Amino acid sequence: MVEQTKKRFITSDDLKKHNQPGDLWISIQGKVYDVSHWVKSHPGGEAAILNLAGQDVTDAFIAYHPGTAWRHLENLHNGYHVKDHHVSDVSRDYRRLAAEFSKRGLFDKKGHVTLYTLTCVALMLAAVVYGVVACTSLWAHLISAVLLGLLWIQSAYVGHDSGHYNVTSTKPCNKLVQLLSGNCITGISIAWWKWTHNAHHISCNSLDHDPDLQHIPVLAVSSKFFKSMTSQPDRALNIAGILVFWTWFPLLVSFLPNWQERIIFVFISMAVTAIQHVQFCLNHFAADVYTGPPNGNDWFEKQTAGTLDISCRSYMDWFFGGLQFQLEHHLFPRLPRCHLRGVSPVVQELCKKHNLPYRSLSWWEANVWTLRTLRKAAVQARDVTNPVLENLLWEALNTHG
């Protein structure tokens, strides 16, 4: 009878030493994996692993990966286990809730949202093209501009969904949906978006690791940006995928009769779709922020601290894309957005049980909170007596990412 291989153990402090490129270890449920070379093949990009390297990443792994992903881990196991591995009460409840959602099939029941949304996008696109090309009325052109802005909003939601999970039955079809809804229709490079968006989820509201907070020199949500703060995510943008967009959109605009209408058309369409970007700013700008990389052991706590929900009637779910439930989305990014409203009461109870914030504000309240945050940072930026602000503009223009 072959004797079972004896387990080898390391401490959490030992694990922390392996957190640099070329030497990356992580642990999942106390089992250690060497991802030093595999990190470049990670579908979610390198940043997601680099930001959590040297830590237990169980909660983040559960949040981002389906059950089928577990079988791929064994090839990366280096034989070690973390002997002082500890699971907090919050993490234990979070994992139990994720398992319950999985058992109920919520991660797989997509509610045909993609089909409905893409159908809506196709109809709006046809209406926009007809309104611009076949109609001579100024009002028809203005309505087409509004429809185009709404089209971009809905298409971006589908691109967002396809980046978090397969919205179709196969991966090739999912990639096709990504390219169509993201690159071709909205002009957003899905490759770039997935890279930065995964970093955003993993490092939610980290001032130097979350690219979605870094809008210097235009906006600042914290005076800590005025010190020599460097962004960590990769700057490289994949621009090849948006060539289709920059072919059809200028061509469409060229059918308008004069430059005045063209400028108005572009402005209105961009202004309408900008509402979506405002929404995402409201979800995070006024929430709690921190510096440094995320901690794998406080996944639930960081997501609740770094997000705000926007309260609204259920009929507004189409406009907000369901993503007004940003906290629920951050806790369960693979959960189709058609379920976010339904799981909200359960998440609220869990936050209440562990005395964690669950903030749900109206659209106007969230705007007030966000403007107050921006004003506070602006007032601090005006303080010329503060020595750390002396080279603010230089630092702002040279921040990476």
Side-chain angles (χ1 to χ4, degrees):
M1 186 175 182
V2 180
E3 184 179 354
Q4 186 178 5
T5 304
K6 187 176 181 181
K7 289 184 178 180
R8 295 183 295 171
F9 290 94
I10 61 173
T11 66
S12 296
D13 288 337
D14 294 328
L15 181 64
K16 290 177 182 178
K17 299 174 183 177
H18 301 274
N19 65 346
Q20 299 297 324
D23 182 22
L24 298 173
W25 289 11
I26 58 174
S27 73
I28 299 175
Q29 292 186 337
K31 199 171 183 178
V32 181
Y33 302 92
D34 186 344
V35 294
S36 304
H37 303 293
W38 179 81
V39 65
K40 294 185 180 297
S41 303
H42 184 224
E46 296 180 55
I49 293 181
L50 289 171
N51 288 349
L52 288 174
Q55 304 181 57
D56 183 89
V57 300
T58 305
D59 289 342
F61 185 86
I62 289 174
Y64 260 92
H65 300 84
T68 55
W70 291 87
R71 66 172 180 263
H72 299 293
L73 288 174
E74 196 57 37
N75 292 333
L76 302 173
H77 180 44
N78 61 6
Y80 288 104
H81 294 75
V82 180
K83 65 180 179 181
D84 56 346
H85 173 64
H86 171 72
V87 181
S88 68
D89 291 338
V90 181
S91 289
R92 189 174 290 107
D93 282 346
Y94 170 69
R95 297 173 193 181
R96 187 182 300 118
L97 191 57
E100 179 187 335
F101 290 169
S102 180
K103 187 177 180 180
R104 290 165 54 187
L106 294 184
F107 294 111
D108 301 317
K109 297 175 182 176
K110 301 177 177 65
H112 303 294
V113 172
T114 301
L115 176 61
Y116 295 149
T117 306
L118 285 180
T119 300
C120 183
V121 167
L123 292 174
M124 286 194 291
L125 182 59
V128 168
V129 173
Y130 179 82
V132 171
V133 177
C135 298
T136 58
S137 167
L138 173 62
W139 283 107
H141 297 162
L142 297 180
I143 293 173
S144 296
V146 173
L147 281 178
L148 183 57
L150 294 174
L151 180 159
W152 282 334
I153 289 176
Q154 294 302 316
S155 187
Y157 287 144
V158 175
H160 174 270
D161 292 349
S162 65
H164 278 297
Y165 53 85
N166 284 341
V167 298
T168 61
S169 57
T170 64
K171 287 186 177 180
C173 288
N174 192 68
K175 180 172 285 189
L176 177 62
V177 169
Q178 287 180 338
L179 291 173
L180 288 176
S181 61
N183 300 48
C184 298
I185 296 179
T186 63
I188 300 173
S189 169
I190 284 293
W192 162 77
W193 175 85
K194 286 183 66 176
W195 187 276
T196 60
H197 193 69
N198 285 331
H200 159 65
H201 269 266
I202 295 295
S203 309
C204 179
N205 272 33
S206 168
L207 294 175
D208 50 337
H209 286 260
D210 183 351
D212 283 9
L213 278 188
Q214 297 160 358
H215 299 275
I216 290 291
V218 180
L219 298 174
V221 299
S222 172
S223 61
K224 292 182 180 179
F225 277 125
F226 308 151
K227 303 173 185 178
S228 186
M229 176 113 17
T230 302
S231 170
Q232 302 299 323
D234 192 351
R235 293 190 67 175
L237 304 180
N238 179 354
I239 62 172
I242 61 174
L243 291 179
V244 172
F245 173 84
W246 287 110
T247 300
W248 74 260
F249 181 53
L251 182 62
L252 177 69
V253 174
S254 70
F255 277 93
L256 293 167
N258 53 63
W259 279 107
Q260 290 86 350
E261 284 199 30
R262 291 168 190 164
I263 292 173
I264 293 172
F265 181 89
V266 172
F267 176 81
I268 291 178
S269 61
M270 296 289 182
V272 171
T273 197
I275 298 173
Q276 182 184 60
H277 301 279
V278 171
Q279 174 196 342
F280 293 148
C281 290
L282 299 182
N283 288 139
H284 296 289
F285 273 24
D288 302 339
V289 297
Y290 65 99
T291 57
N295 186 339
N297 293 323
D298 61 2
W299 169 265
F300 194 99
E301 294 92 325
K302 279 294 192 294
Q303 305 306 323
T304 58
T307 53
L308 300 174
D309 281 4
I310 307 298
S311 60
C312 65
R313 301 282 188 178
S314 58
Y315 66 81
M316 290 294 291
D317 286 357
W318 179 87
F319 184 78
F320 286 114
L323 295 177
Q324 71 272 29
F325 294 100
Q326 192 70 190
L327 171 53
E328 289 78 3
H329 170 61
H330 266 257
L331 290 174
F332 305 100
R334 291 191 305 108
L335 191 66
R337 51 193 167 93
C338 58
H339 300 308
L340 295 178
R341 182 178 287 274
V343 304
S344 176
V346 182
V347 174
Q348 290 184 51
E349 285 299 318
L350 195 55
C351 290
K352 183 178 180 180
K353 176 182 177 181
H354 295 286
N355 197 28
L356 294 171
Y358 184 96
R359 291 163 290 196
S360 183
L361 307 176
S362 71
W363 171 271
W364 301 111
E365 288 174 328
N367 271 279
V368 171
W369 281 38
T370 299
L371 291 173
R372 187 184 299 134
T373 299
L374 295 175
R375 182 182 184 280
K376 181 179 179 181
V379 169
Q380 292 170 333
R382 279 192 321 207
D383 185 3
V384 294
T385 63
N386 191 336
V388 303
L389 306 181
E390 184 177 349
N391 295 314
L392 171 60
L393 183 58
W394 187 93
E395 292 287 355
L397 294 175
N398 288 275
T399 296
H400 301 295

